[in-house]
Amino acid sequence: MAKKQKIDRHSPENLTAITQMQSKLRLGWLLWLCYRGFGLPILLSLFLPTAPDVVGGVAWHLLWLIPALVVSPWMLMGRSAYALLISSMLTLVYLGASGVTLFARLYDSGISVLWVYLLDTALLLLTNVWLFKLLKRLPSMNG
């Protein structure tokens, strides 16, 4: 059985990996914020038979995103392990809510708009994976 190798947090390879993870996290976070705030309400207004109001949908989703907007500077910089740990807790709450919404809409709206919610959940899941990979590579919080 092979031993698990410990990551040298100050090696050039690790610093390159951290930079790559930070850029992936930044991209995923911005994509999810834009999709959740604007894309999801616009797509729902186009594809739902009830044609909900776009402006009201965008306003509602931006209101729902206030905590995410507050932690956005931490997510975009991706340097502080403490801040990213708090952000990861928040993104896990959003992921849980997004998953519940996905399954609730499966029974409510049918399969026609399920892909809209599935894309939201997938973007958030991908962002969480990149966040956890970055947290693993960042220097330890306890020295």
Side-chain angles (χ1 to χ4, degrees):
M1 221 191 311
K3 275 187 166 180
K4 188 176 177 181
Q5 290 185 352
K6 201 170 186 180
I7 297 173
D8 180 14
R9 300 194 189 281
H10 301 292
S11 70
E13 295 86 18
N14 187 49
L15 296 177
T16 303
I18 286 174
T19 304
Q20 290 173 348
M21 282 293 123
Q22 286 171 333
S23 65
K24 287 179 182 180
L25 177 64
R26 191 176 303 119
L27 176 68
W29 184 251
L30 289 174
L31 274 173
W32 176 72
L33 278 177
C34 291
Y35 180 77
R36 186 64 188 195
F38 299 104
L40 192 121
I42 291 170
L43 288 172
L44 289 178
S45 72
L46 292 173
F47 294 114
L48 281 177
T50 57
D53 181 36
V54 176
V55 176
V58 169
W60 172 252
H61 284 278
L62 288 178
L63 184 65
W64 190 77
L65 286 175
I66 287 175
L69 294 171
V70 168
V71 300
S72 284
W74 298 339
M75 295 291 278
L76 295 177
M77 284 188 230
R79 292 189 186 126
S80 171
Y82 289 113
L84 288 176
L85 192 60
I86 292 169
S87 301
S88 75
M89 291 180 217
L90 179 70
T91 57
L92 285 174
V93 170
Y94 276 119
L95 181 61
S98 185
V100 167
T101 303
L102 173 69
F103 287 114
R105 296 299 180 219
L106 175 65
Y107 295 110
D108 182 32
S109 304
I111 199 106
S112 63
V113 293
L114 190 63
W115 64 273
V116 174
Y117 293 105
L118 187 61
L119 183 58
D120 175 55
T121 306
L123 280 172
L124 200 49
L125 180 65
L126 196 59
T127 301
N128 272 296
V129 167
W130 288 333
L131 179 59
F132 288 139
K133 284 185 175 185
L134 178 61
L135 278 170
K136 182 178 178 182
R137 292 216 172 248
L138 284 175
S140 176
M141 290 185 285
N142 59 359

